Amino acid sequence: MEQVVEKRIGISSLLDKVISAQEAASFIQDGNIVGMSGFTRAGDAKVVPLALAERAKNENLKLDVYTGASLGPEVDKILAEAGGIRKRGPYQGDAAIRNLINTGEVLYVDAHLSHNAELVRQGIIGPIDFAIIEATAITKDGFLVPTTSVGNSPIFAQYAKNIIVELNLAHSESLIGVHDIYIPEVQGQRQPIPLLSATDRIGEIGIKINPEKIKAIVISNEQDAPSLIVDPDDETQEMANHLLNFLRSEITAGRLTNKLAPLQSGVGSVANAVLEGFKVSEFEDLIIFSEVLQDAVFNLIDAGKVSFASCTSITISEELQKKVYGNIEKYADKIIIRPQEISNHPEVIRRLGLIAINAALEVDIYGNVNSTHVGGTKMMNGIGGSGDFTRNSRLSIFVTKSYAKGGKLSSIVPMVAHHDHTEHDVHVIVTEQGVADLRGLAPKERVPLIIENCVHPDFKQQLWDYYNEAVELTGNAQTPHNLEKALSWHVNAAKTGSMKL
Amino acid sequence: MEQVVEKRIGISSLLDKVISAQEAASFIQDGNIVGMSGFTRAGDAKVVPLALAERAKNENLKLDVYTGASLGPEVDKILAEAGGIRKRGPYQGDAAIRNLINTGEVLYVDAHLSHNAELVRQGIIGPIDFAIIEATAITKDGFLVPTTSVGNSPIFAQYAKNIIVELNLAHSESLIGVHDIYIPEVQGQRQPIPLLSATDRIGEIGIKINPEKIKAIVISNEQDAPSLIVDPDDETQEMANHLLNFLRSEITAGRLTNKLAPLQSGVGSVANAVLEGFKVSEFEDLIIFSEVLQDAVFNLIDAGKVSFASCTSITISEELQKKVYGNIEKYADKIIIRPQEISNHPEVIRRLGLIAINAALEVDIYGNVNSTHVGGTKMMNGIGGSGDFTRNSRLSIFVTKSYAKGGKLSSIVPMVAHHDHTEHDVHVIVTEQGVADLRGLAPKERVPLIIENCVHPDFKQQLWDYYNEAVELTGNAQTPHNLEKALSWHVNAAKTGSMKL
Ligand SMILES: CC(C)(COP(=O)(O)OP(=O)(O)OC[C@H]1O[C@@H](n2cnc3c(N)ncnc32)[C@H](O)[C@@H]1OP(=O)(O)O)[C@@H](O)C(=O)NCCC(=O)NCCS
Ligand SMILES: CC(C)(COP(=O)(O)OP(=O)(O)OC[C@H]1O[C@@H](n2cnc3c(N)ncnc32)[C@H](O)[C@@H]1OP(=O)(O)O)[C@@H](O)C(=O)NCCC(=O)NCCS
């Protein structure tokens, strides 16, 4: 055995568990329920899934695959296209599996990311036959040290009957000590989660495992698939400016100090670009308490704007991967990677009083948000942690361009065609047009703010016409709608490609 | 001054603050923001609001009125009909104010009940000019002891510029010691809420007040308006039986013990009737951790089924009021009344692992729930605490009869016309027809369970027809819908009174 491998496996009795990916994959049976590491393309097992995909091409092998969140192509493209996935949860973000989901070939259970661990405890997700977990090392004290994400790995390792470790030598040993693993007790016997500040360490450096459950250790050398976000543009810069001005007005109102509050920023290009906008602001010493750290966070650390970042996953572009992972010591004392049960926990989010910034597909004139279903029926990615943060944050902000598909679609509609976040949970909407602050307002008070401040000029009058007719029709009810036309913009778009009447 | 009054006002310097309701009401100005005690008709101020209503009949007096939840007729009928309310939040349940809300005469901000305190801290609700709080006593240590509810009174008292106390002599002094007042610190400087069990006492017996803020003490002798729920019937008994059988199957599956878990039960006749069904079950030593205690809880205490109940309000029928309040000593050691910020707190609900049972107006074939808007536009009561409990409980159960309006409407529809709780938060649906356990299922897996187990026979085929067409139309997408017909059942009902095609 190579010395570098021996150095990373602290328990010598485990050394003879090192086998090939093919051998490890052969343990897994058709119909198994598998819990995998990985969160938004980071820290996922790679070589065992590829071996599983090979099998799935040639034999009947269909698995239920649960993860932290979305994975790289090994699972969500190659294994999926090989027909190896029966059911998938709780999040995905790959065009290949998305297509299989939207043609009914893969069952998809889209869920709040903070809920998964409870479902594992209750056996609703499970019984888990195998956990497949990418690791940096196994320490001599029996801690499995994750790589670039933690996600649901701790709870999978705790409840799985068997564990397969993918020991990834491509990741520096300097990652050891960056993680903070804390697993709450079962409900009813649970203590408060002792996290009082985003920078607190409350747990262990790795996942405490029972070595007897480890059935295989497979050596890998693969990098995470880099993130797919696109760069900021003029309009996302406009959105960032609107957001920064809004935050300034909150400081003036005495609701925030110029340290703001711990920031959460959602997945995707738009949320990343808006966060990037803080680079040219006066804000300093910012703290991030988020699910995923995307490129913007590292750029803000480099720019001296962000002093600390807590997350459950690091998902960055190829360029940044080289910079960050080639130099992890520089960032190690500024970062903590936690289980998603902690990063997304309502208890923690509410206590810390986060400012949450997430992206929407579309919003409606009353402030309901669709984050997931294009045209109300086709899954894009999933709700992810957006509900965990939105419901529990001090300030819950949604960002979206006011239009999609080159201006043919309005991102503000009479009624969203799918509801992920309701009017009760959405505080502020930001588009490149402006900001609507909905806090404390009745539905009918929100309408003029949303239409006048956020809607693209092409669709303003059309929305006013809808709303005025709805007020008339309902006798000015609490939430005026004309149910015959509420979804007609989407029906039109499906037929003609455009929401313009 | 009467001796009984002096006995209840422990701080002698406050004795000369005792004035008439009219005098106290005269302090309040047009445009004031007022925070009132009261939660689902219990513990609300009564005589000062009546004096305000008299003024509103004769002068320009419009107030923004925030409370714990719904109030009795003094505010939500008499003051409202006198034109004295500009804006109302966060919950109501009276036909009079409902009508004014649905004709646009009163603005209504329907909100998660656990969110109110944060909004007060942030000044989004506020600045509060006056808090008007019904109390049993003011102790010599400066604690204001509430009556039959706590609601938002602690946070209103903390942030209001002025306080008017309605000292209600109709309530027994034996209520002193029943309350447990704990107010979390501001976000970011907050400690964990130290509540580890439903029966824990973590705070004080009353609301610590600054006596200088007390501008008036008004003596009252009024009873709470009794609750308006209707008795259980054969169908609610059927629903209870289905629920009990479901809970038994959870015990068999090893997910619950025969002590179950702390139970939350929602407002209204149906939730009350279903809880009442536990009387003829084998379950004993049950613990309630709920928002409102309705009749069923006291009947279950009397029947030896419930050993402890934590709440923020006691809302019972006239008959039970006599029994319980005439004999409060008998119940005092089995009950704790807490601020709604604690009874409804995500941190506490998740930690304790509650079983939540709430009523729906309608649900859809994917498990989304409408709790609030009849026909999608007209407000019934409000979301109340249903979102706090539903999102965070171990088991989130919705109960509804499968039909409404004598069978003309189906309570299970293709798409709910208003979304309060999404598919991600709804675990189990119970109707008189049966149970659908949706946990861990993809949307398309949920459909047959809901249609076959829960829908009234009159509407089964009609729902299947809708669904099958939607699958065809969307190419079997994640969540099949035919947006042209998704709300057509409601459109039909509005036109013809019936959802039958
Ligand atoms: C909403 C979400 C899809 C936006 O992603 P993004 O990368 O910032 O946004 P984009 O504007 O690039 O949109 C992504 C795609 O949706 C399409 N889209 C955007 N708005 C749309 C609308 N109103 N109608 C239809 N399609 C729309 C875009 O055209 C683009 O499609 P393409 O991939 O075919 O080009 C993404 O944030 C998401 O999945 N959110 C849900 C999960 C979440 O919020 N997690 C946060 C917790 S960390
Ligand atoms: C949903 C809710 C209204 C049900 O109340 P309930 O008293 O148990 O139910 P009922 O079946 O008696 O229905 C109440 C009314 O709604 C009507 N209704 C019920 N289902 C309906 C439907 N599908 N479509 C239209 N109307 C409907 C009933 O006909 C009845 O109307 P009426 O007052 O004109 O007779 C009530 O539970 C509520 O307000 N919930 C929201 C708040 C909440 O859940 N809080 C819980 C935390 S404690």
Side-chain angles (χ1 to χ4, degrees):
Chain A
M1 186 148 329
E2 284 180 74
Q3 223 186 329
V4 47
V5 173
E6 284 186 25
K7 212 177 136 224
R8 296 229 187 168
I9 301 180
I11 299 176
S12 56
S13 64
L14 286 176
L15 287 173
D16 61 7
K17 299 285 177 191
V18 176
I19 56 177
S20 73
Q22 288 67 27
E23 278 176 283
S26 74
F27 298 160
I28 292 171
Q29 317 265 308
D30 181 42
N32 272 184
I33 299 177
V34 180
M36 292 193 192
S37 66
F39 197 105
T40 47
R41 303 166 75 84
D44 49 350
K46 299 166 188 84
V47 296
V48 177
L50 282 181
L52 287 169
E54 281 309 308
R55 279 182 59 197
K57 283 181 198 156
N58 303 309
E59 60 180 287
N60 225 348
L61 181 76
K62 274 203 185 295
L63 307 174
D64 289 7
V65 177
Y66 295 96
T67 57
S70 56
L71 302 188
E74 294 82 1
V75 171
D76 281 346
K77 178 172 168 55
I78 302 170
L79 180 59
E81 287 183 338
I85 303 184
R86 187 190 79 92
K87 194 177 222 175
R88 181 78 175 85
Y91 191 81
Q92 58 72 39
D94 190 287
I97 196 164
R98 182 183 296 144
N99 187 42
L100 295 167
I101 288 168
N102 285 319
T103 51
E105 281 150 273
V106 170
L107 286 166
Y108 179 49
V109 189
D110 165 34
H112 298 301
L113 296 187
S114 83
H115 280 191
N116 307 140
E118 305 294 7
L119 294 175
V120 173
R121 288 190 184 96
Q122 293 180 26
I124 299 292
I125 294 178
I128 298 172
D129 298 295
F130 279 87
I132 311 180
I133 298 176
E134 190 185 77
T136 305
I138 300 170
T139 70
K140 62 177 171 24
D141 312 321
F143 289 111
L144 187 68
V145 180
T147 60
T148 48
S149 72
V150 174
N152 279 319
S153 298
I155 197 81
F156 291 158
Q158 191 179 346
Y159 280 84
K161 294 182 216 157
N162 307 287
I163 299 173
I164 295 173
V165 176
E166 259 195 46
L167 193 69
N168 191 329
L169 304 178
H171 281 295
S172 157
E173 280 182 283
S174 302
L175 274 177
I176 301 173
V178 168
H179 312 86
D180 185 50
I181 310 298
Y182 177 92
I183 311 183
E185 302 87 356
V186 295
Q187 287 176 315
Q189 299 164 28
R190 187 173 291 175
Q191 295 295 313
I193 299 169
L195 191 139
L196 302 183
S197 144
T199 59
D200 281 357
R201 294 198 153 270
I202 59 172
E204 308 283 358
I205 60 158
I207 303 164
K208 185 83 193 171
I209 36 151
N210 171 357
E212 289 182 6
K213 286 213 274 188
I214 296 187
K215 294 295 140 60
I217 299 176
V218 175
I219 308 303
S220 130
N221 252 300
E222 307 299 317
Q223 295 289 352
D224 289 339
S227 85
L228 301 172
I229 50 168
V230 299
D231 285 339
D233 59 27
D234 287 351
E235 283 177 335
T236 57
Q237 185 58 50
E238 268 302 295
M239 291 159 75
N241 292 344
H242 290 310
L243 176 69
L244 289 166
N245 282 332
F246 169 74
L247 293 173
R248 288 177 189 121
S249 70
E250 286 292 289
I251 294 172
T252 310
R255 281 195 276 275
L256 289 174
T257 69
N258 60 6
K259 297 245 167 143
L260 300 179
L263 292 169
Q264 178 265 343
S265 165
V267 295
S269 305
V270 175
N272 181 67
V274 169
L275 194 60
E276 191 88 43
F278 280 77
K279 225 159 68 181
V280 291
S281 76
E282 69 278 26
F283 298 112
E284 284 182 352
D285 247 344
L286 296 172
I287 302 282
I288 307 283
F289 191 89
S290 207
E291 196 182 274
V292 182
L293 305 187
Q294 300 190 117
D295 284 21
V297 172
F298 292 92
N299 295 334
L300 290 170
I301 290 178
D302 288 348
K305 294 292 183 187
V306 162
S307 56
F308 198 89
S310 167
C311 67
T312 192
S313 145
I314 298 175
T315 303
I316 46 185
S317 62
E318 202 158 0
E319 198 193 324
L320 253 153
Q321 281 188 348
K322 288 194 197 112
K323 188 165 153 188
V324 172
Y325 298 137
N327 200 3
I328 190 75
E329 300 76 15
K330 182 181 158 201
Y331 299 95
D333 64 341
K334 296 191 183 64
I335 289 172
I336 289 179
I337 315 181
R338 309 179 189 274
Q340 71 199 70
E341 184 172 21
I342 303 301
S343 62
N344 288 34
H345 205 294
E347 173 173 340
V348 173
I349 296 168
R350 180 81 71 105
R351 185 182 301 147
L352 298 183
L354 303 190
I355 298 174
I357 307 162
N358 290 286
L361 281 178
E362 59 179 11
V363 306
D364 69 27
I365 53 173
Y366 298 112
N368 299 286
V369 166
N370 175 5
S371 299
T372 57
H373 282 68
V374 174
T377 64
K378 290 207 191 317
M379 177 55 63
M380 171 62 78
N381 302 320
I383 194 165
S386 56
D388 298 320
F389 291 104
T390 295
R391 172 71 63 86
N392 297 298
S393 287
R394 171 202 308 254
L395 250 180
S396 128
I397 300 166
F398 276 91
V399 295
T400 176
K401 292 192 183 179
S402 70
Y403 64 89
K405 303 297 169 202
K408 294 210 190 91
L409 308 185
S410 174
S411 301
I412 293 102
V413 292
M415 179 190 271
V416 289
H418 181 91
H419 288 69
D420 291 296
H421 313 290
T422 73
E423 41 160 333
H424 309 289
D425 297 320
V426 179
H427 295 156
V428 177
I429 294 169
V430 179
T431 72
E432 81 290 352
Q433 301 291 321
V435 177
D437 177 1
L438 310 176
R439 292 172 297 169
L441 300 183
K444 283 178 291 200
E445 293 178 293
R446 294 181 205 143
V447 175
L449 285 184
I450 296 177
I451 299 183
E452 290 303 328
N453 298 1
C454 295
V455 172
H456 191 275
D458 285 2
F459 292 101
K460 265 191 189 169
Q461 190 54 47
Q462 213 176 291
L463 274 176
W464 274 124
D465 291 345
Y466 173 83
Y467 175 69
N468 290 332
E469 190 184 25
V471 169
E472 181 95 359
L473 189 76
T474 60
N476 207 6
Q478 168 76 357
T479 307
H481 266 303
N482 176 352
L483 294 190
E484 279 187 87
K485 295 188 180 169
L487 300 171
S488 65
W489 293 32
H490 300 88
V491 171
N492 243 347
K495 285 183 181 158
T496 71
S498 163
M499 284 183 174
K500 289 187 185 139
L501 293 183
Chain B
M1 188 151 324
E2 286 179 71
Q3 223 188 327
V4 48
V5 172
E6 285 187 22
K7 212 177 135 222
R8 297 228 186 167
I9 301 179
I11 300 176
S12 54
S13 64
L14 287 175
L15 287 174
D16 61 6
K17 300 284 178 191
V18 176
I19 55 177
S20 73
Q22 287 68 26
E23 278 176 282
S26 75
F27 299 160
I28 293 171
Q29 317 266 306
D30 182 42
N32 273 183
I33 299 177
V34 180
M36 292 195 193
S37 67
F39 197 106
T40 48
R41 303 165 76 83
D44 49 351
K46 298 165 188 85
V47 295
V48 177
L50 282 181
L52 288 168
E54 281 309 308
R55 279 183 58 197
K57 282 181 199 156
N58 303 307
E59 60 181 286
N60 227 348
L61 181 75
K62 276 206 184 291
L63 308 174
D64 288 8
V65 176
Y66 296 96
T67 56
S70 56
L71 301 189
E74 294 82 0
V75 171
D76 281 347
K77 179 170 166 57
I78 301 169
L79 180 59
E81 288 184 336
I85 304 185
R86 187 190 79 93
K87 194 178 224 176
R88 181 78 175 85
Y91 191 81
Q92 56 74 39
D94 190 287
I97 195 164
R98 182 183 296 144
N99 187 42
L100 295 167
I101 288 168
N102 285 318
T103 51
E105 280 149 273
V106 169
L107 286 166
Y108 179 50
V109 189
D110 165 35
H112 298 300
L113 297 187
S114 83
H115 280 191
N116 307 140
E118 305 295 7
L119 294 176
V120 172
R121 287 190 185 95
Q122 292 179 26
I124 299 293
I125 293 178
I128 298 172
D129 298 294
F130 280 86
I132 311 180
I133 299 177
E134 191 186 74
T136 304
I138 300 170
T139 70
K140 63 177 170 29
D141 312 321
F143 289 110
L144 187 68
V145 179
T147 60
T148 48
S149 72
V150 174
N152 279 318
S153 299
I155 199 79
F156 291 157
Q158 193 178 345
Y159 281 83
K161 294 182 217 157
N162 308 287
I163 299 174
I164 296 174
V165 175
E166 259 197 45
L167 193 70
N168 190 329
L169 304 178
H171 282 296
S172 157
E173 280 182 283
S174 302
L175 274 177
I176 301 173
V178 168
H179 312 87
D180 185 50
I181 310 299
Y182 178 93
I183 311 182
E185 301 86 357
V186 296
Q187 288 176 316
Q189 299 164 29
R190 186 173 292 175
Q191 296 295 313
I193 298 169
L195 190 139
L196 303 181
S197 144
T199 59
D200 281 357
R201 292 197 155 272
I202 59 173
E204 308 284 358
I205 60 158
I207 304 164
K208 185 83 192 171
I209 36 152
N210 171 357
E212 288 180 9
K213 286 213 276 188
I214 296 188
K215 294 295 141 59
I217 300 176
V218 175
I219 308 303
S220 129
N221 252 300
E222 305 301 315
Q223 293 289 353
D224 289 340
S227 86
L228 299 173
I229 51 168
V230 300
D231 285 339
D233 60 28
D234 287 352
E235 284 177 334
T236 57
Q237 186 57 51
E238 268 303 293
M239 292 159 75
N241 291 343
H242 290 311
L243 176 69
L244 290 166
N245 283 333
F246 169 74
L247 293 174
R248 288 177 189 121
S249 71
E250 287 292 289
I251 294 173
T252 309
R255 281 195 276 275
L256 288 174
T257 69
N258 59 7
K259 296 247 167 141
L260 300 178
L263 293 170
Q264 177 265 343
S265 166
V267 294
S269 303
V270 175
N272 181 66
V274 169
L275 193 62
E276 190 88 42
F278 280 78
K279 222 158 70 179
V280 291
S281 77
E282 69 278 27
F283 298 112
E284 284 181 353
D285 247 344
L286 296 172
I287 303 283
I288 307 285
F289 191 89
S290 208
E291 195 182 274
V292 181
L293 306 186
Q294 299 189 114
D295 284 21
V297 172
F298 292 91
N299 295 334
L300 290 170
I301 290 177
D302 288 348
K305 294 291 183 186
V306 162
S307 56
F308 198 89
S310 167
C311 66
T312 193
S313 144
I314 298 175
T315 304
I316 45 184
S317 62
E318 203 159 358
E319 199 192 324
L320 254 153
Q321 281 189 348
K322 288 193 198 114
K323 189 165 153 189
V324 172
Y325 297 138
N327 200 1
I328 190 75
E329 300 76 14
K330 182 180 158 199
Y331 298 96
D333 64 341
K334 298 191 180 65
I335 289 172
I336 290 180
I337 315 181
R338 308 179 190 274
Q340 70 198 68
E341 184 172 21
I342 303 301
S343 63
N344 287 34
H345 204 294
E347 172 173 341
V348 173
I349 296 170
R350 180 81 70 104
R351 185 182 300 146
L352 298 182
L354 303 190
I355 300 175
I357 308 163
N358 290 287
L361 280 178
E362 59 179 11
V363 306
D364 69 27
I365 54 172
Y366 298 111
N368 299 286
V369 166
N370 175 4
S371 299
T372 57
H373 281 67
V374 174
T377 62
K378 290 206 190 318
M379 177 54 63
M380 171 63 77
N381 302 321
I383 194 164
S386 56
D388 297 321
F389 291 104
T390 295
R391 172 72 61 89
N392 297 300
S393 286
R394 169 201 308 254
L395 250 180
S396 126
I397 300 166
F398 275 92
V399 294
T400 175
K401 293 192 184 180
S402 70
Y403 65 89
K405 304 295 169 202
K408 293 210 192 89
L409 308 184
S410 174
S411 301
I412 294 102
V413 292
M415 179 189 271
V416 288
H418 181 90
H419 288 69
D420 290 296
H421 313 290
T422 73
E423 42 159 335
H424 309 289
D425 297 320
V426 179
H427 295 154
V428 177
I429 294 169
V430 179
T431 71
E432 81 291 350
Q433 301 289 322
V435 177
D437 177 1
L438 310 176
R439 291 172 298 170
L441 300 183
K444 283 178 290 199
E445 293 179 292
R446 296 182 204 142
V447 175
L449 286 183
I450 295 176
I451 299 184
E452 289 304 327
N453 298 1
C454 295
V455 172
H456 191 276
D458 285 1
F459 292 101
K460 266 189 188 168
Q461 191 54 46
Q462 213 176 292
L463 274 176
W464 274 124
D465 292 345
Y466 173 84
Y467 175 69
N468 291 332
E469 191 183 25
V471 169
E472 181 95 0
L473 188 76
T474 61
N476 207 6
Q478 168 76 357
T479 306
H481 266 302
N482 177 351
L483 294 190
E484 280 186 86
K485 294 188 180 169
L487 299 172
S488 65
W489 294 30
H490 299 88
V491 171
N492 242 347
K495 286 184 180 158
T496 70
S498 163
M499 285 184 172
K500 288 186 187 141
L501 295 182

